[in-house]
């Protein structure tokens, strides 16, 4: 069933893009194909060990082939991508370079790990300098405390919560918020214009980083999207759910289609059906 909700004339149509992480273990190529099939507005490319994710020329070709704008680059600042692009600062600079080459202006980064002490000491200032150098928004993502045997361990510096840092741009992830026990609606309101980017997903508050379909967890995803739609949000909303456990044919696509329907409904934009 198709539900069409027209945006108010006073509201910008906020783009809803698909993170390439949402089709894992499929490829970046698959992310562009699925985004086109389901009617997304673009793709966020997560840089990984996959060669295509590191190649701006290949990404531009995919963007043109599938008529999908690249809205953001997710820098390889995860534990699983420690070996990609060398040092921490090099990861951020190369991500910014690639963003400029593919025509987007947002780079998502995670805060430094505790053991990256030299990098962490100058992180806030360094992010600001590189952002100005490349004229891109480096949006620092909210993370969550690690717990070992029931106790909180210091895993990120300066902090897992971007509210604690003087950042110019922030990415808000609902699953990370649920893991941290944060209130997304309060946080988004407090961030105001610093909020540049949103990873649309959900979590149950179980302590695990679940990346559920929005609306199936405890975060106020609908209320946050409605708030963004009515308060001049100038960034993008990116679906970043986990579909790796999808077993039945079409299950992954249905999860991603439901995420898109949810986003469009609460951002007051048209929703496209799977049949359409």
């Amino acid at each position: 069933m198709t539900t069409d909700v027209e945006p108010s004339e006073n509201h910008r149509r906020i783009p809803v893009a698909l993170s390439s992480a949402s089709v894992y273990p499929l490829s970046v190529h698959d992310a562009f194909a699925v985004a086109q099939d389901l009617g997304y507005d673009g793709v966020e490319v997560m840089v990984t060990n996959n060669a295509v994710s590191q190649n701006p020329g290949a990404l531009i070709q995919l963007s043109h082939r599938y008529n999908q704008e690249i809205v953001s680059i997710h820098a390889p600042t995860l534990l699983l991508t420690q070996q990609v692009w060398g040092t921490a600062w090099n990861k951020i600079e190369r991500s910014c370079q690639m963003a400029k080459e593919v025509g987007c202006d947002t780079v998502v980064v995670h805060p430094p790990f505790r053991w990256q002490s030299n990098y962490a000491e100058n992180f806030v200032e360094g992010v600001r300098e590189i952002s100005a150098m490349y004229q891109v928004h480096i949006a620092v993502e909210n993370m969550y405390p690690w717990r070992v045997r029931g106790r909180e361990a210091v895993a990120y510096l300066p902090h897992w919560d971007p509210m604690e840092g003087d950042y110019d741009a922030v990415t808000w992830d609902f699953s990370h918020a649920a893991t941290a026990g944060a209130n997304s609606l309060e946080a988004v309101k407090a961030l105001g214009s610093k909020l540049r980017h949103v990873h649309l997903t959900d979590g149950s508050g179980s302590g695990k980083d679940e990346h559920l379909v929005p609306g199936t967890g405890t975060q106020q995803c609908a209320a946050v999207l409605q708030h963004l739609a009515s308060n001049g949000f100038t960034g993008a909303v990116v679906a970043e759910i986990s579909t790796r456990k999808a077993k039945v044919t079409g299950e992954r696509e249905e999860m991603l289609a439901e995420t898109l329907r949810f986003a469009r409904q609460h951002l007051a934009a048209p929703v496209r059906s799977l049949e359409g």
Side-chain angles (χ1 to χ4, degrees), residues 5 13 18 35 38 42 56 72 77-78 81-82 99 111 127 160 172 174 181 194 212 215 222 226 234 243 263:
V5 183
R13 186 181 188 278
L18 176 67
L38 297 180
S72 47
T77 50
L78 291 72
T81 56
Q82 287 187 87
V127 162
W160 54 264
W172 192 260
F174 290 98
K194 288 188 175 184
L212 304 177
Q226 291 162 14
T234 59
T243 63

Side-chain angles (χ1 to χ4, degrees), residues 37-114:
D37 287 346
L38 297 180
Y40 276 87
D41 298 315
V43 171
E44 172 174 298
V45 175
M46 179 174 283
V47 179
T48 66
N49 294 296
N50 178 275
V52 174
S53 75
Q54 303 177 27
N55 185 330
L59 295 175
I60 290 170
Q61 288 182 356
L62 289 172
S63 176
H64 291 165
R65 176 177 177 180
Y66 291 102
N67 192 31
Q68 288 291 305
E69 178 184 359
I70 299 173
V71 303
S72 47
I73 299 295
H74 195 309
T77 50
L78 291 72
L79 272 176
L80 295 175
T81 56
Q82 287 187 87
Q83 305 306 314
V84 178
W85 288 356
T87 67
W89 286 122
N90 193 57
K91 294 173 187 287
I92 293 183
E93 283 214 48
R94 288 192 62 174
S95 297
C96 291
Q97 290 172 354
M98 189 157 76
K100 295 294 285 186
E101 290 185 57
V102 302
C104 70
D105 65 356
T106 300
V107 171
V108 178
V109 303
H110 288 186
F113 293 109
R114 175 182 54 78

Side-chain angles (χ1 to χ4, degrees), residues 110-236:
H110 288 186
F113 293 109
R114 175 182 54 78
W115 53 86
Q116 297 173 304
S117 55
N118 292 334
Y119 170 54
E121 286 176 6
N122 302 304
F123 183 67
V124 176
E125 297 79 7
V127 162
R128 183 169 287 124
E129 290 176 8
I130 295 174
S131 177
M133 184 187 309
Y134 288 95
Q135 292 296 292
V136 300
H137 302 281
I138 300 177
V140 181
E141 187 168 359
N142 65 308
M143 296 304 293
Y144 46 83
W146 289 8
R147 294 181 176 87
V148 179
R149 297 176 183 174
R151 295 185 177 182
E152 183 174 326
V154 179
Y156 297 101
L157 292 174
H159 204 277
W160 54 264
D161 185 355
M163 309 285 283
E164 299 290 328
D166 184 24
Y167 300 114
D168 296 327
V170 169
T171 295
W172 192 260
D173 183 299
F174 290 98
S175 179
H176 297 171
T179 305
N183 183 306
S184 287
L185 184 59
E186 289 182 0
V188 165
K189 287 180 177 180
L191 283 167
S193 62
K194 288 188 175 184
L195 181 65
R196 175 67 195 174
H197 205 65
V198 172
H199 280 165
L200 179 58
T201 179
D202 212 335
S204 69
S206 67
K208 298 179 180 180
D209 186 16
E210 299 165 298
H211 285 271
L212 304 177
V213 172
T216 63
T218 60
Q219 291 296 299
Q220 296 168 286
C221 300
V224 170
L225 295 183
Q226 291 162 14
H227 171 78
L228 295 179
S230 59
N231 284 274
F233 179 62
T234 59

Side-chain angles (χ1 to χ4, degrees), residues 81 103 150 247 259 267 269:
T81 56
K247 303 295 183 185
T259 301
L267 291 171

Side-chain angles (χ1 to χ4, degrees), residues 1-7 13 261 264-265 268-273:
M1 183 176 71
T2 303
T3 304
D4 291 327
V5 183
E6 293 296 335
R13 186 181 188 278
R261 283 194 291 264
R264 291 264 170 82
Q265 176 185 353
V271 176
R272 176 175 174 175
S273 69

